[in-house]
Amino acid sequence: MSTEPFRILQVGLGNRGRMWGQVIGREAGIVVRGVVDVNPETVAAFAAEHPAVPAFTELEAALAATQSDAVLLVTPPDGHLAQARQIFAAGLPLLAEKPLTLDLAEAVTLVDLARQAQLPLAVGLNFRYLPVSRRIRELVAGGTLGEPGFGQFTYQRNRDGRLPWLNKYPLTMRHPMMLEQSIHHLDLIRFCYARPVESVLCRTWNPRWSLYAHDSNVACLLQLAGGLEVNYQGTWTGGWNPLRFEWRTDLSEGVIVQRQLFSDLAVARTDDTELTPLELAACEPFYDDSAALLRSFVDHVRHGAPLECSGADHLVTLALCFAAIESSETGCAVALPEFCARHGIALSA
């Protein structure tokens, strides 16, 4: 086992980039070898605070001047393909924030580039690593409450995208709710139920009062293998500021209910009069789950451990998002296997 620190070149010092810097700073054996950001003022501020870490405004210069074991890409998704070309050309593994790109064909190209270069590509679906997500997956797989039959997943929020600690590009992008937020939720549905999505019927829209230039509401009916059906509804433009979340799964012998976004899991059998809360491991959302994702990535790069959030697997979640968009545009349900075949995406990834 290597005793040398795992060296990361971090590209992007925005809000999420600063969070990633804190995550890496807490991890023994993982160090930031250099940073890149296109904003000279941001780079200068970082350099003043961290004079020992090389800071650059250009990715090409950073790749040439530093020796790293992998790149962490925390930049807006519309630039990921061009950046990934440079990173793979330098022979480095890549952990990229989601979504991989805002264009499905570009995402397919990016995953193909990683495959051709024989380099690891992972995507930051960190919510898979929340203790509550892991426990739901275990409960469904364990079968102690019977066979899952249907689910309801509701995420309601009034997200003011102008706030200083939030990224600004979702305000002007197409399908901001689907590609920035619902993508996490649809990925969790795939992950926690551990069965493929067979079809999706979807409607996306934007209320008149929305701050967003494009659709901030998503409603989907998902059909999964084995007869499992899930109603999903998510919004960034709710009429009330407090975030409201519930994910309920009805099974043949009971229910599983997650009542808070990152915690509060409970179960009940059919004849129970009350839900029974389940104990979960302590977790600081966005930090502990990101750290677990990072450790998993490092373990894959160094020791060949399975790569759970691979680029190829992410393509299936991204395809589900774009199939849902197609469904909204056509008014018809879209069969995911046919959609993936049409776009050159392997469902068995």
Side-chain angles (χ1 to χ4, degrees):
M1 182 176 294
S2 175
T3 59
E4 295 296 318
F6 189 90
R7 303 163 300 177
I8 288 179
L9 174 63
Q10 180 177 322
V11 184
L13 292 173
N15 297 317
R16 179 59 172 154
R18 288 191 291 274
M19 292 176 71
W20 267 114
Q22 295 176 50
V23 169
I24 297 170
R26 299 176 184 180
E27 288 297 303
I30 305 178
V31 298
V32 174
R33 187 67 183 86
V35 298
V36 184
D37 196 278
V38 295
N39 188 327
E41 294 180 0
T42 301
V43 170
F46 179 91
E49 189 173 349
H50 306 278
V53 180
F56 305 85
T57 57
E58 294 183 355
L59 175 57
E60 183 178 6
L63 291 169
T66 62
Q67 290 186 331
S68 303
D69 298 303
V71 174
L72 172 63
L73 191 57
V74 200
T75 58
D78 56 359
H80 282 183
L81 178 58
Q83 291 160 342
R85 288 187 190 278
Q86 297 180 69
I87 293 162
F88 294 145
L92 292 175
L94 173 60
L95 170 57
E97 272 290 350
K98 63 84 203 142
L100 193 54
T101 68
L102 298 178
D103 180 273
L104 189 56
E106 282 193 359
V108 171
T109 297
L110 203 160
V111 172
D112 285 342
L113 287 173
R115 186 180 297 114
Q116 291 163 14
Q118 298 184 336
L119 289 167
L121 168 64
V123 182
L125 279 308
N126 48 292
F127 291 167
R128 289 188 180 193
Y129 291 86
L130 291 165
V132 66
S133 303
R134 297 284 175 173
R135 192 65 181 279
I136 292 173
R137 181 178 168 96
E138 291 171 1
L139 286 167
V140 173
T144 57
L145 293 169
E147 183 73 14
F150 55 95
Q152 294 173 301
F153 192 123
T154 305
Y155 174 97
Q156 298 167 321
R157 178 184 182 186
N158 184 33
R159 179 188 187 274
D160 187 346
R162 301 166 299 185
L163 293 172
W165 58 85
L166 295 175
N167 290 325
K168 300 300 179 288
Y169 66 84
L171 288 167
T172 56
M173 68 183 281
R174 286 183 57 81
H175 292 288
M177 181 67 196
M178 178 69 80
L179 296 176
E180 282 290 322
Q181 188 69 71
S182 297
I183 189 171
H184 268 303
H185 303 153
L186 298 182
D187 185 74
L188 283 176
I189 289 169
R190 288 186 59 232
F191 175 74
C192 292
Y193 291 138
R195 58 187 68 198
V197 177
E198 295 181 339
S199 71
V200 55
L201 180 63
C202 180
R203 175 83 176 114
T204 71
W205 71 98
N206 213 25
R208 288 191 301 274
W209 64 82
S210 176
L211 296 172
Y212 296 88
H214 203 257
D215 293 354
S216 58
N217 279 22
V218 174
C220 293
L221 176 61
L222 307 170
Q223 293 183 335
L224 284 76
L228 174 59
E229 305 222 8
V230 182
N231 273 302
Y232 169 80
Q233 184 168 15
T235 180
W236 269 357
T237 49
W240 193 26
N241 286 333
L243 190 154
R244 290 293 182 266
F245 177 95
E246 184 174 275
W247 183 3
R248 170 172 166 156
T249 304
D250 284 71
L251 305 96
S252 58
E253 299 175 32
V255 294
I256 304 167
V257 185
Q258 181 183 346
R259 297 174 289 190
Q260 296 291 334
L261 182 58
F262 302 118
S263 61
D264 193 1
L265 189 65
V267 297
R269 293 197 167 274
T270 303
D271 293 333
D272 290 346
T273 57
E274 295 182 354
L275 289 165
T276 299
L278 300 179
E279 186 175 350
L280 300 170
C283 178
E284 184 179 3
F286 296 105
Y287 292 89
D288 291 341
D289 47 320
S290 295
L293 167 69
L294 178 60
R295 289 193 296 269
S296 176
F297 174 68
V298 171
D299 201 26
H300 172 77
V301 173
R302 278 202 159 159
H303 310 297
L307 187 60
E308 187 173 278
C309 295
S310 69
D313 182 74
H314 177 65
L315 271 185
V316 181
T317 294
L318 198 59
L320 174 56
C321 293
F322 279 99
I325 290 169
E326 180 177 297
S327 173
S328 182
E329 292 171 347
T330 63
C332 300
V334 175
L336 193 61
E338 183 277 331
F339 183 89
C340 286
R342 192 175 357 129
H343 292 275
I345 296 170
L347 282 171
S348 58

